[in-house]
Amino acid sequence: MTPTDRPGRNGPAPWSDLSRPPLHESALRRALVRPGGLWTSLDVVQETGSTNADLAARAPELPEGTVLVAEEQLSGRGRLDRRWSAPARSGIFFSVLLRPTAPVEKWGWLPLLTGVAVASAVSRIAGVDTGLKWPNDLMVTVGDEERKAGGILAEMAGGGIVIGVGINVTLRADELPVPTAGSLGLAQAAVTDRDPLLRAVLRSLEEWYGRWQEAGGDAAASGVQAAYAAGCVTLGRAVRAELPGGEALTGEAVALDAEGRLVLATRDGVQRPVGAGDIVHLRPDGPPDGPPEGSGGE
């Protein structure tokens, strides 16, 4: 690994863009890796293909709490193996390895739990309103439009689970991969310094994960289910669920069930839980708000 504290070995020079300074690896490690805490190691690399792929490949030999951060990802992935990229140091791109003691059937809540942790930390530190689009998108408001500023990807690996997070921080309008993408900077964030943002996100994730673990993976008892529902911009909306296999289901998103699935009330009066698929927010009298995926991921 090549930390950003050691410039000039891989990737662009750390100070090639003065508006996007490098992360301070040693300071992040001192702040987050401590005895008795969840985070056991933290490394920052100049560039990599995918932090999720890197941790997944080494998961059998790594302890819980391993954190890998990249200044730039060359083959970042979102859900359904979608590819995306962003300029170096324009965002926060990291993955963590967790080994929950909760039953495996409860692990499906971990991406949603991560969403709660990310949204609450970003809102508190950056001073922007955040929302969660089910199941894995961080939304912000740019002008009067709801835009995707981040995404979450979870993968089982080595007896644990690797969770990747990508957040667009200083991505500018001319750098957006698609019109529906956004960033904290475009949302007029009060703070775009990635160091305090990353510290806040990882501390928030540690706190929510600890609550969930103590509750044995019970999303209701830990408060995760209520917190996600409170921040979910999908609930109460007319949506189209594009399901695996090509089926599409239209209805109103009315609830999250005990497994974290999105419950749709269809026009024929049936309530159907959706556990996987793309969700498109529909306007009351018009076309969809945009494609299901914008930017972000891991």
Side-chain angles (χ1 to χ4, degrees):
M1 294 181 179
T2 305
T4 57
D5 285 351
R6 304 172 199 163
R9 292 183 60 185
N10 285 319
W15 291 98
S16 58
D17 186 341
L18 295 180
S19 67
R20 291 171 173 165
L23 291 165
H24 299 285
E25 180 188 44
S26 58
L28 288 167
R29 191 179 291 131
R30 286 195 302 271
L32 294 164
V33 179
R34 66 188 191 283
L38 174 61
W39 310 122
T40 51
S41 68
L42 185 150
D43 290 288
V44 180
V45 296
Q46 286 277 10
E47 65 179 36
T48 189
S50 161
T51 55
N52 254 38
D54 291 348
L55 281 194
R58 298 181 56 212
E61 66 192 55
L62 294 174
E64 181 176 50
T66 298
V67 181
L68 178 62
V69 188
E71 294 283 31
E72 182 179 18
Q73 289 194 122
L74 305 179
S75 303
R77 292 175 296 146
R79 290 179 62 252
L80 306 180
D81 207 34
R82 292 189 175 99
R83 302 290 165 169
W84 64 272
S85 61
R89 302 181 301 279
S90 66
I92 295 171
F93 319 116
F94 73 90
S95 296
V96 302
L97 174 63
L98 301 176
R99 299 190 181 280
T101 56
V104 173
E105 58 267 25
K106 308 278 190 182
W107 291 18
W109 274 101
L110 286 169
L112 305 184
L113 178 156
T114 303
V116 170
V118 171
S120 58
V122 168
S123 180
R124 183 176 68 253
I125 299 299
V128 296
D129 290 333
T130 58
L132 295 166
K133 180 185 173 189
W134 189 91
N136 72 327
D137 293 346
L138 175 72
M139 310 299 290
V140 297
T141 301
V142 178
D144 60 354
E145 295 183 351
E146 198 173 69
R147 303 274 194 93
K148 178 178 175 179
I152 296 160
L153 178 68
E155 301 176 271
M156 304 278 280
I161 184 167
V162 174
I163 301 178
V165 176
I167 306 170
N168 295 332
V169 179
T170 60
L171 205 65
R172 298 182 282 266
D174 62 347
E175 296 172 324
L176 296 177
V178 292
T180 52
S183 69
L184 303 188
L186 291 174
Q188 304 299 310
V191 174
T192 55
D193 185 336
R194 295 179 303 141
D195 281 82
L197 285 167
L198 180 56
R199 287 198 301 270
V201 167
L202 286 170
R203 285 169 175 160
S204 182
L205 180 53
E206 179 175 11
E207 178 183 353
W208 279 104
Y209 179 66
R211 292 184 192 178
W212 179 82
Q213 282 271 73
E214 289 173 5
D218 188 319
S222 63
V224 172
Q225 185 172 9
Y228 191 92
C232 182
V233 298
T234 302
L235 292 177
R237 302 273 284 267
V239 303
R240 183 176 69 250
E242 298 176 350
L243 307 178
E247 181 186 3
L249 180 67
T250 301
E252 181 184 355
V254 295
L256 291 176
D257 70 9
E259 297 178 29
R261 297 178 298 180
L262 186 68
V263 180
L264 300 189
T266 64
R267 291 179 179 178
D268 57 8
V270 176
Q271 292 197 352
R272 282 189 56 180
V274 174
D278 278 335
I279 298 297
V280 180
H281 290 173
L282 303 176
R283 297 174 184 169
D285 297 301
D289 287 342
E293 292 288 329
S295 180
E298 59 75 33

